Amino acid sequence: MDVKTFICDDNPVHRRCICKFASACCARNAMDCEWKELSPEELQNQLLSERFQADILILDINMGDYDGIQMAKQVNQAAPDCKIIFLTSYIDYAPRVYETRHLYFVLKAQMEEMLPKALAKAWNLLNQEEPCLMITVSNEDLKIPFEKILYLEKFLHYTVLTTDLKEFKVPKSLRTLEPLMGKDFVRCHGSYMVNLRRVSGHTRTKFTLDNGAEIPIGRTFQAAACDAYLDYLASLM
């Protein structure tokens, strides 16, 4: 499991030191992580452009013009499943972090002792969880297992997500949702994305799902979609 781990601190020297220490710690414990260092400006830009995708975020709090606790609240909205580890020099911030959903509060003076514990806890939680899509619909945070999702369909500026039991009208574009979906989802049409695990058959122009629904395959998507389905079938052998 390749875990995307972001480190955000306004001090580039601190970012490098944290990354060096944390990556060495994960390597010793056979935790495969993809590391990325971000300034607060870069993190804010990712959040505003809806490009933020991280499994673990190591986040400073006092970052000049940027408040790490407020940014954590934005992360909670953009990526509800992201495990946030606050790493700060100031114990006074401890009460405020409970305004957010976070995993750990670590003082920089105790980083060598406490950060490995925080990373191990995040790693264990990520490995225990069923792969899910985390979305907010009508101000409610939802966690929908990928295996329950049949397909996604684009409508203007929103997307309808169809599961076994119901449909969800998600206020995000299909393009925005596409990178959040699991590896078994494929874009097969300008307006559709399908879960290959739920496909029971296909022709050049359509997928048939295990509930009988038929999803069109657009002309420009035919080669890539059919190849993806054949690769999926081969992975099962």
Side-chain angles (χ1 to χ4, degrees), residues 2-22:
D2 195 11
V3 174
K4 291 184 178 179
T5 304
F6 291 1
I7 297 168
C8 181
D9 193 299
D10 61 328
N11 187 317
V13 175
H14 288 183
R15 288 200 301 269
R16 285 193 295 271
C17 290
I18 295 164
C19 187
K20 183 177 179 180
F21 174 77

Side-chain angles (χ1 to χ4, degrees), residues 156-170:
L156 298 176
H157 302 298
Y158 64 91
T159 300
V160 172
L161 187 154
T162 299
T163 71
D164 291 300
L165 299 178
K166 63 184 295 185
E167 294 181 345
F168 298 92
K169 185 176 178 180
V170 182

Side-chain angles (χ1 to χ4, degrees), residues 14 20 63 65 76 122 179:
H14 288 183
K20 183 177 179 180
M63 298 185 289
D65 293 335
N76 288 160

Side-chain angles (χ1 to χ4, degrees), residues 9 23 65 72 82 88 93 113-115 118 137 205:
D9 193 299
S23 59
D65 293 335
C82 179
T88 179
Y93 288 114
E113 176 189 358
M114 301 305 298
L115 187 57
V137 178
T205 59

Side-chain angles (χ1 to χ4, degrees), residues 69-190:
I69 292 173
Q70 291 301 320
M71 297 184 83
K73 293 178 181 179
Q74 293 178 267
V75 172
N76 288 160
Q77 291 293 319
D81 208 31
C82 179
K83 312 305 180 191
I84 298 175
I85 299 170
F86 286 112
L87 182 61
T88 179
S89 298
Y90 305 100
I91 189 65
D92 293 348
Y93 288 114
R96 283 193 60 211
V97 300
Y98 290 98
E99 299 172 15
T100 72
R101 293 193 304 275
H102 68 286
L103 185 68
Y104 238 95
F105 178 88
V106 178
L107 289 172
K108 288 183 178 179
Q110 299 175 332
M111 183 177 74
E112 293 188 7
E113 176 189 358
M114 301 305 298
L115 187 57
K117 296 178 181 179
L119 288 167
K121 183 175 181 179
W123 178 268
N124 290 334
L125 286 172
L126 289 167
N127 277 278
Q128 290 170 7
E129 292 177 353
E130 182 180 18
C132 294
L133 174 66
M134 307 295 295
I135 54 173
T136 301
V137 178
S138 301
N139 295 319
E140 181 182 2
D141 292 337
L142 301 177
K143 184 175 182 178
I144 305 175
F146 284 136
E147 67 174 22
K148 302 295 184 184
I149 301 172
L150 293 160
Y151 62 94
L152 296 83
E153 183 177 3
K154 178 180 73 173
F155 287 95
L156 298 176
H157 302 298
Y158 64 91
T159 300
V160 172
L161 187 154
T162 299
T163 71
D164 291 300
L165 299 178
K166 63 184 295 185
E167 294 181 345
F168 298 92
K169 185 176 178 180
V170 182
K172 290 183 180 291
S173 68
L174 187 58
R175 175 178 291 184
T176 298
L177 289 172
E178 188 170 355
L180 305 180
M181 305 309 296
K183 61 182 178 61
D184 294 327
F185 286 80
V186 64
R187 187 77 174 264
C188 60
H189 187 279

